[in-house]
Amino acid sequence: MSELQGRLEKVMLRLDLMGMRVEQALADALQAAKDGDVEAGRNVDEHDSLIDREEVEIEQECIRLLALYQPAAIDLRMICTIIKINNDLERIADLAAGIGKRVKHVVEDKISFDNYGGFDSLAQAAREILGKTVRMLGATDSSTANKVIKFDDKINQYYRQFVRDVLDTEGKKVGGLEAAMTLINLAKALERIGDLCTNIAEDIIFLKTGDIVRHAEAMRNLSNDEIAS
Amino acid sequence: MDIDKENKMTSLDQTIAANTEALYARDESKSPTPAPAPAMPTPSIAVTVGATPEAEEAVCCEPIITSKGFDFYYGKKAGVRDITMDIYPCAVTAIIGPSGCGKSTFLRSINRMNDLIPNTRAAGRLAVNGQNVYEKQVNLVNLRQQVGMVFQRPNPFPKSIFDNIAYGPRLQGIRKRSRLDEIVEQCLHDAALWKEVKDELKKSALALSGGQQQRLCIARALATKPKVLLMDEPCSALDPVATGKVEELIRKLRTNYTIVIVTHNMQQAARVSDRTAFFCLGELIEYGLTRDVFTNPTNEQTEAYITGRFG
């Protein structure tokens, strides 16, 4: 194994580890929200700086590898993919930290999740998609990637249903606006996590095949327009 | 040091031999019994190819060099086997591969430089502008005027800068000083060397730096108005600055010339070429647009080679 491949393998391991940390952060944040544990929520937010530092270090190493080895083919795709996934994982961690921060509002607004079975489904689905994504990173498996992309549709569906439920319930209550805002913000973070996991899955497909599957329809339309003009 | 000197002499000898051969052949053709010398057909380029890979992709034009099942043997050993590829005009084609893979053999077959090596044999078809270069009636002088060559080490003649470039045109019978001045200036401009040497054209070419000498050799190759320029590791003896200048020159020249470059420097192939061919053990393994070969090669061997996993 060349030095570049050795170093790339190490970065990939770090990324995998970072994925597990992010997964833990989301689990902790959701548990804190459910328990109304403000302290635990703040903890998740404070620990986010560790993930931020890890993200910067991984990016620095990738830039060093690009500059020192001028990689090509699979090595080049791997570095580009790591840089993008690194960024997406950090954003997922930010969203988890955001959920942690909002636990305070959950308590202040006296929100009981028992009234919202939809939130549980959404939270469960977000954790599941992140779990699948992190495991896919460890195995760089593109068949799981397609499953992740499909699974995001389910999350979007849960999200839309949940927002309707919140508006129906809280919207009719006097002073229910704050609670509705908090709930929708929490749900929005989970919905975004689904989107970012989709991005990661698309990056894994690029790593494996060299195909960019992102915005496939838009790209097709664009090339049709070019042919037409 | 001795080895260096020897290499330098070998490659200098090759150019001198090629040019001297051209000189004698020309003299023969002027003699009362000229050797049959059918002119190479004029190029039939349907579309001018753009200098960018994007333009390359859309273009469908006649290839200038076509190789079909081409083999080249050193004695009984095959240097290259069954090479089938088309090289397109006004573009840069890079040939990469591990040492001994036949890339230089193939390159030097295009203008029959390998003829200088005894006990060699070619089979199959290798055509420039539709003319099989290994047919008996091919005039080597015409062929090498159309297909110029730049070697690994700069090998200017031990003459002045002016005389180095005027050498080829003089062989072609151009004697008028004003015309020679014009050609020398144009070639030095084309080789991006004019500004640096315009006040010292009488200076010995050997007094130039390595990078300048290599650009002078390119200018000298351009003086016979070739259609194709073959470059055999043209930057391997140059420092990074000189390499940069030669690469810039290659990019500039591709609007008017077809360039085939053999290089061990993968990044160089990626930077300067429109298409890349990967050779291994005398066979063509993969040939495609450079941007595809270097980002997503279709063959595992190519991927292993360009990522340094073997070779």
Side-chain angles (χ1 to χ4, degrees):
Chain A
M1 186 192 285
S2 74
E3 197 185 331
L4 171 65
Q5 274 109 46
R7 288 177 75 165
L8 267 174
E9 211 162 86
K10 275 189 200 148
V11 188
M12 204 62 205
L13 274 175
R14 283 182 79 168
L15 192 75
D16 194 19
L17 205 64
M18 181 171 158
M20 290 182 207
R21 281 199 181 137
V22 175
E23 205 182 347
Q24 188 60 50
L26 179 67
D28 291 349
L30 287 171
Q31 191 61 47
K34 205 173 173 191
D35 299 345
D37 186 341
V38 180
E39 187 57 32
R42 198 178 299 131
N43 248 345
V44 175
D45 187 30
E46 278 165 9
H47 277 83
D48 187 44
S49 58
L50 289 177
I51 293 173
D52 289 347
R53 199 169 66 198
E54 185 66 7
E55 187 225 359
V56 171
E57 282 174 11
I58 288 177
E59 188 173 309
Q60 280 172 334
E61 175 69 354
C62 287
I63 291 169
R64 268 195 294 271
L65 295 182
L66 283 173
L68 296 178
Y69 297 92
Q70 295 99 42
I74 179 72
D75 297 340
L76 177 66
R77 295 204 305 274
M78 185 171 261
I79 294 185
C80 294
T81 305
I82 290 173
I83 290 175
K84 293 185 74 182
I85 293 178
N86 185 37
N87 186 35
D88 284 341
L89 282 178
E90 191 274 332
R91 286 167 68 191
I92 294 175
D94 281 350
L95 290 165
I99 294 173
K101 256 198 289 193
R102 286 199 180 89
V103 175
K104 173 170 89 173
H105 301 296
V106 173
V107 175
E108 281 168 7
D109 300 336
K110 298 188 181 68
I111 292 169
S112 165
F113 288 104
D114 296 340
N115 302 335
Y116 294 103
F119 187 82
D120 259 354
S121 311
L122 183 58
Q124 197 53 43
R127 285 187 60 182
E128 194 176 334
I129 198 170
L130 183 59
K132 277 186 206 292
T133 304
V134 172
R135 268 173 287 292
M136 168 183 70
L137 278 186
T140 56
D141 177 7
S142 62
S143 60
T144 316
N146 284 314
K147 285 183 196 152
V148 166
I149 294 169
K150 278 217 179 89
F151 196 79
D152 185 42
D153 292 342
K154 206 168 166 184
I155 293 187
N156 291 337
Q157 220 178 317
Y158 285 152
Y159 170 69
R160 279 192 296 269
Q161 184 58 49
F162 178 72
V163 170
R164 266 197 297 273
D165 288 351
V166 169
L167 292 178
D168 283 350
T169 322
E170 300 295 329
K172 286 171 190 157
K173 281 187 199 164
V174 177
L177 191 60
E178 279 88 354
M181 285 288 286
T182 302
L183 284 166
I184 289 175
N185 278 333
L186 291 176
K188 185 71 198 166
L190 296 173
E191 189 269 337
R192 284 295 299 144
I193 287 173
D195 292 345
L196 292 166
C197 288
T198 303
N199 286 358
I200 294 174
E202 286 164 346
D203 291 337
I204 291 289
I205 292 175
F206 170 73
L207 172 67
K208 283 284 162 195
T209 64
D211 296 332
I212 296 178
V213 291
R214 215 167 53 250
H215 310 307
E217 204 177 331
M219 295 301 283
R220 249 195 320 273
N221 291 342
L222 196 67
S223 59
N224 286 342
D225 289 349
E226 273 167 12
I227 294 165
S229 66
Chain B
M1 185 69 196
D2 282 341
I3 294 168
D4 272 6
K5 204 169 169 185
E6 205 177 304
N7 284 344
K8 190 162 188 167
M9 283 311 292
T10 318
S11 109
L12 180 62
D13 285 347
Q14 284 166 347
T15 318
I16 292 176
N19 282 287
T20 318
E21 199 181 330
L23 174 68
Y24 288 130
R26 183 155 193 95
D27 283 345
E28 275 167 27
S29 67
K30 277 183 188 166
S31 68
T33 50
M40 299 288 290
T42 48
S44 55
I45 302 166
V47 188
T48 307
V49 185
T52 62
E54 285 74 15
E56 269 295 285
E57 196 180 31
V59 146
C60 52
C61 66
E62 293 284 313
I64 186 163
I65 300 168
T66 46
S67 173
K68 263 194 193 139
F70 179 75
D71 304 325
F72 193 89
Y73 294 91
Y74 297 104
K76 283 183 180 168
K77 190 179 174 296
V80 291
R81 259 193 315 264
D82 197 22
I83 304 296
T84 297
M85 67 188 278
D86 288 340
I87 293 174
Y88 291 88
C90 297
V92 181
T93 303
I95 304 178
I96 58 169
S99 294
C101 70
K103 54 193 188 302
S104 288
T105 299
F106 180 71
L107 186 84
R108 296 156 72 92
S109 300
I110 299 172
N111 71 347
R112 287 183 57 177
M113 223 38 162
N114 286 334
D115 285 15
L116 301 170
I117 304 166
N119 199 19
T120 54
R121 182 171 64 84
R125 182 179 164 85
L126 179 59
V128 176
N129 274 329
Q131 166 79 57
N132 188 349
V133 297
Y134 278 93
E135 266 173 25
K136 275 185 184 158
Q137 71 268 26
V138 165
N139 182 325
L140 284 184
V141 183
N142 285 351
L143 174 67
R144 288 178 188 156
Q145 273 176 6
Q146 283 209 36
V147 186
M149 188 141 193
V150 177
F151 295 90
Q152 191 170 0
R153 288 177 175 276
N155 53 356
F157 300 136
K159 291 167 173 287
S160 71
I161 294 170
F162 185 95
D163 287 342
N164 260 277
I165 297 167
Y167 194 91
R170 278 178 179 143
L171 289 184
Q172 289 173 327
I174 300 171
R175 291 277 177 267
K176 210 173 159 193
R177 179 70 195 199
S178 59
R179 177 74 190 118
L180 285 175
D181 283 345
E182 219 173 275
I183 293 172
V184 169
E185 183 175 341
Q186 186 57 49
C187 293
L188 285 172
H189 267 301
D190 288 350
L193 193 59
W194 175 250
K195 279 186 192 160
E196 290 162 60
V197 302
K198 63 180 176 185
D199 299 323
E200 41 191 19
L201 295 176
K202 285 189 180 156
K203 200 165 111 176
S204 166
L206 300 177
L208 296 173
S209 71
Q212 288 174 323
Q213 285 188 11
Q214 192 63 305
R215 279 178 286 148
L216 178 70
C217 293
I218 294 173
R220 184 179 63 191
L222 298 180
T224 57
K225 292 193 176 299
K227 298 278 181 297
V228 180
L229 261 188
L230 307 178
M231 297 185 164
D232 196 353
E233 296 186 47
C235 299
S236 63
L238 305 183
D239 70 31
V241 175
T243 299
K245 286 188 177 168
V246 171
E247 286 182 7
E248 204 175 306
L249 174 61
I250 292 172
R251 277 190 282 270
K252 207 175 86 179
L253 289 174
R254 75 171 155 194
T255 46
N256 294 316
Y257 300 90
T258 304
I259 296 173
V260 188
I261 178 172
V262 161
T263 176
H264 271 301
N265 182 335
M266 237 92 64
Q267 280 70 41
Q268 179 171 65
R271 282 191 299 263
V272 302
S273 71
D274 301 299
R275 284 187 169 78
T276 296
F278 170 61
F279 279 51
C280 192
L281 298 172
E283 286 176 16
L284 173 65
I285 306 294
E286 182 163 353
Y287 178 43
L289 289 175
T290 298
R291 59 172 180 183
D292 294 339
V293 173
F294 279 89
T295 54
N296 195 15
T298 54
N299 186 285
E300 276 178 21
Q301 259 178 299
T302 316
E303 177 145 293
Y305 181 68
I306 64 174
T307 56
R309 284 169 170 81
F310 96 98

